Structure formats: structure tokens, C-alpha cells
């Protein structure tokens, strides 16, 4: 369960440290007081996307710390141990958001990426938003709820793995079958293209080496002429060669060194240079002597490079990529030549994978039908309790025969509801009343949450559109849900707030030009006044206070603490 929420410099919250109890807690306050920012903080700490807009103006970063007690969450403890993030029976999560929008996350003081944080969060907290009834109109969400209620996750993973393998094999098979009609023409074209490429001696192909050799031979005259001139300058000119002049300089400095010993070092450096020049001259001379014009080699290189560039343009690749192109064409030709064998193997694979898929799909359908019957009865009962005495909820499940495999099974799942006797059940999207849809949505959420192991559940104004005695029943259901898990509820309804074990009040404060929100736990007497405020009226009378006390007393919240 969630033990503590600590917030620093997040939006309208400058500093907040909030301890939470087991059971049911409610957050109330005037509209705009900042109740939503607490859920925003929890969302950020649990892995929601962050941006710089969350940082309180004038601050460098926002920080959220949350602490969980895992003593009754063995699966979460095992997950943390598997990830090497465990720390006895506690779990500390920290998330920071800097003013430039970058964020960091930590689990038990160890840095983690966002995916790891989200994987943990899904096991710790389940959030039901105030617009959940709109989400429930989506067919995929209805399928997910039914599968969650039926505990089908492991079976779904198996089925989807077979589906993915079948899909890949089926796609390759269809491509080969489609290509069969013009296979002969394609094989002929591939053989012709490979013969063209194989004239390049692909095993020893080195386009850059050919280009370098061609460049050298094409400029050999210039190389020999300029090279010989440099030999003259360096050594062969008896009057003004570099070697001769350097020798004179060294001799002169050596004579001067008898007057200035410091010049010995300069003379030695120049002596080293004289040696280097001599060696460089010898290497240049040997290089020039070994060069020989080869018109035939030059002509062959020009022809070969021309062929390479022509093929490169033809196939729209760089010259260096021609060997890889040839390898690809060769593989395609091999596959086409052996396509009949491959087609036969793929047929067998598709049949095998399809049989396994259909076996799992049948098992999945059976699970869904069994769970669907129980789910529709539970939700129908809950709808009746929520002021729709003739309400009937139906989980409609159809499985087309011989349907092609698809992700998540073959079943078509749809939630239907009938709100009045004698009227046929209709899809949720066609329920006319928004209030009815809100109540149905709440019944679905509470019912599908009963069997879950998530230790903390958060309900954000899911009771909107509900009032009177129905609101009291909603509060009772949320309180009942908190018997084996922690429930946190944001509400505007006094009937719901009166059912809580812990009442938290959110207030907006304004000092100078700075607005901030604060949260504090209400005492029993303060709860009376807050419930009275929620009951309405400009002036809170003694009658209103008496009504509030009666609601709190009847809820049992004062003495039924976890």
C-alpha cells in the first residue's frame, strides 16, 4: 500500500508531505483547489511523461517521492528481487523533472529507465479516471477488461506468440505463391544480372584499389617529371642542392660554436636533418627508378572501371556495393530455384501454427464465456444497487467459424446493457443517459477490481453524475473494496466522503502573487464541517452540521479503521 507522498516544487505545490493510511481515503476541496495536482504527482512518480511545465515557477526542478509497504505484495517483492531492485519490504520511488523538461527516475535509490518504472507501477497502483466511461465504449478496452477478469494474460501471451509466427510464415508463403506466375522470367533476369556482375572477379573485388592504380598510371608522366626535378633540388645539383647548402650551414655553425657553445645544439639538429634528407632522397630515387609506363595496364583499368561504373548506374548502387548486390541477387535466385521446397515447408509450418493457434483460441473462448457469465451477473447486480432496478448487463461473445487468425483471439466481444424491462440490450455507446453510463461504468470498474491483486486503487471523480442515495451506495462499495486493498478517491459527493476511513482536505493558499496548494488530514470535527460544506448552501446551519454528523456516524468510519 501507499504509505507516503512527498512533493517539492510541482506546479502549485511548493512542499507537501502526506502520510496515507490503509482502507479508504478521500480527497475533497473546492473546485480548483489542486486535487488534480496530487494525482498528477502520483502519475509522474509512476511513469507518466514529464515536461518542464510541471516545475513550479522560480524552481530548478520538481521532485516526487512515494513510499510503498510491500509486506502484503509478495509478487511485487519478487519482481523487485528479479530486477535486483529489492530493499526488504519497502519500495521507494523518486522522480525528478528539471526546468528543461528532462526527468530521472529511481527505485530504492537505484536509477532506472521509464519502462522499468512503468512495469513496476502497473503492479502497485491502478488509476480509474473520471472519463473512464468514455474509455469503456472502446471494444478493445472491453476485451481487456474481460480478459483481466478471467486471468487470461498468460494464455494471451502464448496465443499471440503463435499468431505472430503464423503471420510471418503466411506472409512469406503468399509472396512466394504470388511470385510463382512470373518466376521463370525473374530467374532468367537474375541469372543475366549475376553473369554481368561476375565478370568483375567479385571474390577479389576492390574498386578503390583499381581507382587508385588507374589514377597513378594516368599521371605517371607528371610523377616522373616533377619527381626528377625534386631530386635535382635535393641532391643532384652540385651548385645549389639542398644537401650541399645544408652542409655549408652546418660547417659554418660548427666553426662559430667555438665562440658560442650553444650553437652546437643547432648544428646537431641540422646534422640530423641532413641525414633525413639523404634517406628521403634515396627513397625518392628508388621510387622513380621503379616506375614504368604500362599503356596496356592503363587501358585495362579504364575498361574495368568503365564496366564497374556502368553496372553501378544500372543497379543504382555505389561501386563498392556491387559485391553485396550480387550476393543478394544470388540468394534470391537460390530461393526461387528452391521455392517449391520452401512453399511446401511453409505450408506445413502454417498448418502446424494454425492448429496450435486454434487450440489456444478455443481455450481462450471457453475461459471468456465462463468468466463473461459471472462478470455480467456481478455487474447486473451492481447496476441494480446503483439505482437501475431493471438494469441488465450482458457480455456478448461471438466466435466466427473458420475466421482467419488475429491478435488476441477469434472472439468478437461487446458489452451490452438494458436499462428498462422489455427493451432489448444495446451496446454501451447507445445508452442515452450520461448518468446511466456513469453508473454502469462505475459498476464495471468496481466489479472488475474485486479480484485484482493491485494493492492501491485510485478513483478520480468516477462518481460524477451521481447523487442522492445512489451516491451513498457508491461510497459503500468503495469502502467495501478497501477491505483488502487501499482505496484513494477524489470526490465532490458528501455521501462518498462520509464513507472514508481517512479524510484529506485540499486547499488553495495565496501569499502575495504566489498561489500554492496544501493538503491536511481532517480531525473528526473538521470532517463534520467539510461534509456539511459539501452538502451545500451558502450558510452552514446547525441542521446541516447535524446531517453531516449523522452521515459520518452511519458510515461507521469513526470506529471501523484498518
Amino acid at each position: 500500500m501507499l504509505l507516503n507522498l512527498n512533493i517539492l516544487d510541482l506546479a502549485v505545490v511548493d512542499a507537501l508531505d502526506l502520510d496515507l493510511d490503509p482502507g479508504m481515503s478521500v480527497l475533497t476541496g473546492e473546485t480548483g483547489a489542486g486535487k488534480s495536482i496530487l494525482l498528477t504527482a502520483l502519475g509522474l512518480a509512476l511513469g507518466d511523461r514529464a515536461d518542464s511545465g510541471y516545475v513550479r515557477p522560480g524552481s530548478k526542478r520538481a521532485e516526487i517521492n512515494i513510499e510503498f509497504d510491500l509486506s502484503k505484495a509478495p509478487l511485487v517483492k519478487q519482481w523487485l528481487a528479479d530486477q535486483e531492485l529489492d530493499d526488504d519490504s519497502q519500495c521507494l520511488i523518486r522522480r525528478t523533472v528539471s526546468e528543461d523538461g528532462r526527468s530521472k527516475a529511481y527505485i530504492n535509490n537505484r536509477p532506472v529507465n521509464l519502462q522499468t518504472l512503468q512495469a513496476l507501477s502497473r503492479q502497485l497502483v491502478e488509476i480509474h479516471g473520471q472519463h473512464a466511461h468514455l474509455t469503456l465504449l472502446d471494444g478493445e478496452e472491453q476485451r481487456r477488461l474481460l480478459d483481466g477478469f478471467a486471468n487470461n494474460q498468460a494464455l494471451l501471451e502464448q496465443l499471440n506468440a503463435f499468431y505472430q509466427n503464423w503471420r510471418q510464415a503466411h506472409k512469406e508463403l503468399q509472396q512466394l505463391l504470388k511470385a510463382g506466375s512470373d518466376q521463370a522470367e525473374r530467374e532468367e533476369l537474375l541469372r543475366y544480372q549475376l553473369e554481368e556482375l561476375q565478370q568483375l572477379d567479385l571474390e577479389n573485388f576492390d574498386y578503390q584499389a583499381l581507382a587508385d592504380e588507374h589514377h597513378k598510371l594516368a599521371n605517371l608522366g607528371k610523377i616522373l617529371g616533377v619527381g626528377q626535378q625534386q631530386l635535382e633540388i635535393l641532391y643532384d645539383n652540385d651548385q645549389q642542392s639542398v644537401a650541399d647548402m645544408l652542409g655549408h650551414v652546418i660547417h659554418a655553425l660548427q666553426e662559430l660554436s667555438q665562440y658560442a657553445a650553444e650553437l652546437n645544439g643547432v648544428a646537431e639538429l641540422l646534422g640530423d636533418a641532413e641525414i633525413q634528407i639523404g634517406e628521403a632522397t634515396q627513397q625518392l630515387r628508388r621510387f622513380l627508378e621503379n616506375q614504368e609506363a604500362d599503356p596496356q595496364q592503363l587501358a585495362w583499368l579504364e575498361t574495368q572501371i568503365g564496366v564497374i561504373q556502368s553496372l553501378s548506374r544500372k543497379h543504382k548502387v555505389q561501386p563498392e556495393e556491387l559485391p553485396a548486390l550480387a550476393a543478394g541477387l544470388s540468394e534470391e535466385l537460390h530461393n526461387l530455384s528452391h521455392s517449391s521446397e520452401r512453399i511446401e515447408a511453409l505450408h506445413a509450418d502454417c498448418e502446424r501454427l494454425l492448429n496450435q493457434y486454434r487450440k489456444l483460441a478455443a481455450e481462450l473462448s471457453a475461459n471468456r464465456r465462463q468468466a463473461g457469465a459471472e462478470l455480467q451477473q456481478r455487474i447486473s447486480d451492481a447496476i441494480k444497487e446503483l439505482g437501475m432496478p431493471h438494469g441488465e448487463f450482458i457480455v456478448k461473445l461471438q466466435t466466427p467459424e473458420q475466421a482467419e487468425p488475429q491478435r488476441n483471439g477469434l472472439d468478437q466481444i461487446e458489452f451490452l446493457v438494458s436499462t428498462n424491462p422489455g427493451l432489448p440490450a444495446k451496446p454501451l455507446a447507445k445508452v442515452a443517459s450520461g448518468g446511466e453510463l456513469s453508473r454502469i461504468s462505475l459498476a464495471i470498474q468496481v466489479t472488475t477490481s474485486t479480484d485484482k491483486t493491485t494493492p492501491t486503487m485510485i478513483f478520480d471523480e468516477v462518481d460524477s453524475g451521481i447523487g442522492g442515495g445512489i451516491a451513498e451506495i457508491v461510497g459503500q462499495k468503495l469502502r467495501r473494496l478497501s477491505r483488502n486493498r487501499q482505496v484513494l478517491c477524489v470526490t465532490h459527493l458528501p455521501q462518498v466522503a462520509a464513507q472514508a476511513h481517512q479524510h484529506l482536505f485540499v486547499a488553495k493558499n495565496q501569499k502575495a502573487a504566489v498561489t500554492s496548494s496544501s493538503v491536511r488530514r481532517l480531525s473528526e470535527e473538521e470532517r463534520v464541517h467539510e461534509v456539511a460544506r459539501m452538502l451545500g448552501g451558502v450558510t452552514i446551519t446547525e441542521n446541516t452540521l447535524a446531517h453531516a454528523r449523522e452521515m459520518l456516524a452511519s458510515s461507521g468510519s469513526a470506529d471501523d479503521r484498518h
Side-chain angles (χ1 to χ4, degrees):
M1 58 166 274
L2 180 60
L3 293 177
N4 179 268
L5 170 63
N6 181 277
I7 305 172
L8 294 172
D9 296 324
L10 179 71
V12 295
V13 177
D14 54 357
L16 171 68
D17 189 71
L18 182 64
D19 292 324
L20 293 163
D21 291 340
M24 178 180 172
S25 301
V26 292
L27 282 98
T28 66
E30 296 284 1
T31 300
K35 298 185 293 297
S36 62
I37 198 60
L38 297 181
L39 297 184
T40 298
L42 279 170
L44 282 172
L46 297 170
D48 286 352
R49 294 289 176 182
D51 63 59
S52 59
Y54 288 123
V55 180
R56 185 171 172 81
S59 302
K60 291 186 176 180
R61 69 174 186 176
E63 180 175 329
I64 307 103
N65 295 274
I66 52 177
E67 179 182 357
F68 288 90
D69 175 16
L70 304 182
S71 57
K72 296 182 180 179
L75 295 178
V76 181
K77 289 173 65 176
Q78 184 59 52
W79 185 90
L80 286 170
D82 292 342
Q83 306 298 318
E84 298 183 350
L85 295 169
D86 53 317
D87 188 4
D88 295 328
S89 291
Q90 73 171 2
C91 176
L92 301 174
I93 295 176
R94 180 161 65 98
R95 184 91 183 274
T96 62
V97 182
S98 61
E99 57 186 344
D100 60 3
R102 290 182 296 179
S103 71
K104 295 179 181 179
Y106 304 84
I107 297 175
N108 286 330
N109 296 318
R110 299 175 181 90
V112 296
N113 58 34
L114 201 58
Q115 290 73 27
T116 301
L117 177 60
Q118 291 168 345
L120 171 63
S121 300
R122 284 192 290 269
Q123 303 174 68
L124 291 171
V125 177
E126 183 175 316
I127 299 177
H128 296 267
Q130 56 183 303
H131 302 298
H133 61 284
L134 299 178
T135 307
L136 285 170
L137 301 180
D138 180 64
E140 177 58 22
E141 176 66 10
Q142 295 176 12
R143 193 277 309 162
R144 190 191 65 78
L145 281 169
L146 177 59
D147 281 329
F149 184 78
N151 294 316
N152 282 334
Q153 191 55 44
L155 185 57
L156 276 169
E157 289 177 0
Q158 283 184 281
L159 177 134
N160 286 333
F162 280 115
Y163 165 73
Q164 190 62 32
N165 291 335
W166 172 85
R167 187 169 177 267
Q168 291 176 351
H170 185 261
K171 181 180 179 181
E172 183 181 352
L173 176 61
Q174 294 305 310
Q175 289 174 339
L176 287 175
L177 291 174
K178 183 179 180 181
S181 59
D182 55 356
Q183 179 177 332
E185 293 181 8
R186 181 61 180 168
E187 284 188 43
E188 184 179 351
L189 175 61
L190 289 172
R191 287 194 178 91
Y192 172 75
Q193 290 177 331
L194 280 171
E195 287 175 3
E196 276 189 321
L197 292 169
Q198 284 166 353
Q199 66 179 303
L200 301 178
D201 186 18
L202 295 172
E203 291 184 2
N204 302 305
F205 183 83
D206 189 339
Y207 175 75
Q208 190 58 50
L210 290 174
D212 291 344
E213 184 181 0
H214 174 266
H215 193 60
K216 177 181 172 182
L217 286 176
N219 293 278
L220 189 58
K222 182 176 181 179
I223 292 171
L224 292 174
V226 175
Q228 191 60 50
Q229 289 176 3
Q230 307 321 303
L231 276 179
E232 287 284 327
I233 294 170
L234 287 171
Y235 205 84
D236 292 347
N237 188 325
D238 293 334
Q239 302 299 320
Q240 286 186 321
S241 70
V242 170
D244 185 60
M245 288 189 290
L246 188 56
H248 287 301
V249 172
I250 293 170
H251 179 72
L253 289 174
Q254 286 173 339
E255 286 187 349
L256 291 175
S257 65
Q258 62 182 315
Y259 308 115
E262 302 94 299
L263 294 175
N264 279 325
V266 178
E268 287 177 4
L269 289 173
L270 291 172
D272 292 341
E274 184 178 31
I275 295 171
Q276 294 290 330
I277 290 173
E279 291 179 357
T281 300
Q282 291 302 317
Q283 286 189 29
L284 178 57
R285 192 184 304 280
R286 284 194 295 271
F287 168 78
L288 294 174
E289 288 173 352
N290 290 329
Q291 301 309 306
E292 183 178 351
D294 190 343
Q296 291 182 339
Q297 177 69 3
L298 180 60
W300 180 84
L301 287 169
E302 289 177 346
T303 300
Q304 194 74 351
I305 289 174
V307 171
I308 291 171
Q309 292 178 342
S310 175
L311 289 172
S312 174
R313 288 192 297 270
K314 178 179 179 180
H315 292 284
K316 298 180 180 178
V317 298
Q318 295 298 317
E320 296 84 355
E321 298 172 348
L322 288 172
L325 171 67
L329 295 176
S330 179
E331 182 180 0
E332 184 182 353
L333 179 60
H334 177 272
N335 290 339
L336 283 175
S337 301
H338 297 80
S339 61
S340 58
E341 299 173 11
R342 181 60 180 158
I343 287 173
E344 186 177 347
L346 285 171
H347 269 301
D349 284 345
C350 285
E351 185 175 358
R352 174 181 58 82
L353 292 168
L354 185 59
N355 288 336
Q356 292 170 320
Y357 173 90
R358 291 197 181 280
K359 180 180 178 181
L360 290 172
E363 184 180 350
L364 181 63
S365 294
N367 285 3
R368 285 169 170 169
R369 290 185 188 281
Q370 182 178 356
E374 181 180 355
L375 181 63
Q376 69 182 24
Q377 184 59 54
R378 286 199 197 183
I379 295 177
S380 293
D381 292 343
I383 289 174
K384 290 180 172 67
E385 290 182 25
L386 292 175
M388 299 169 65
H390 303 293
E392 292 292 336
F393 183 84
I394 297 172
V395 178
K396 181 181 178 182
L397 191 148
Q398 293 180 312
T399 309
E401 294 184 4
Q402 302 301 316
E404 187 172 280
Q406 57 187 354
R407 188 169 179 80
N408 297 323
L410 302 171
D411 304 315
Q412 297 174 358
I413 299 167
E414 187 175 28
F415 289 174
L416 308 177
V417 68
S418 173
T419 56
N420 295 296
L423 295 179
K426 295 181 180 180
L428 286 182
K430 295 185 178 179
V431 174
S433 167
E436 288 177 337
L437 186 56
S438 293
R439 278 179 275 176
I440 294 167
S441 169
L442 184 60
I444 292 172
Q445 292 176 68
V446 173
T447 302
T448 55
S449 298
T450 303
D451 299 321
K452 293 181 179 178
T453 59
T454 310
T456 299
M457 304 189 69
I458 298 173
F459 293 86
D460 179 17
E461 297 188 25
V462 295
D463 49 18
S464 60
I466 297 170
I470 303 305
E472 184 174 355
I473 295 172
V474 169
Q476 292 170 354
K477 283 188 170 294
L478 292 174
R479 183 183 178 88
R480 198 176 308 141
L481 194 62
S482 73
R483 288 175 181 171
N484 56 1
R485 61 176 53 80
Q486 182 185 42
V487 172
L488 181 63
C489 179
V490 177
T491 184
H492 287 288
L493 298 179
Q495 298 92 332
V496 173
Q499 296 292 330
H501 302 96
Q502 177 182 220
H503 195 141
L504 304 170
F505 180 70
V506 184
K508 181 181 290 185
N509 310 302
Q510 188 162 353
K511 296 179 180 179
V514 180
T515 301
S516 63
S517 292
S518 61
V519 182
R520 61 186 179 88
R521 185 196 303 245
L522 298 182
S523 66
E524 293 303 324
E525 187 58 30
E526 287 174 327
R527 286 192 70 183
V528 172
H529 284 269
E530 173 60 5
V531 171
R533 181 195 66 80
M534 298 173 73
L535 284 168
V538 176
T539 303
I540 298 177
T541 65
E542 284 299 324
N543 287 336
T544 309
L545 290 171
H547 187 188
R549 287 191 180 93
E550 182 182 358
M551 290 176 65
L552 288 166
S554 64
S555 73
S557 60
D559 51 24
D560 180 21
R561 297 191 180 279
H562 287 227

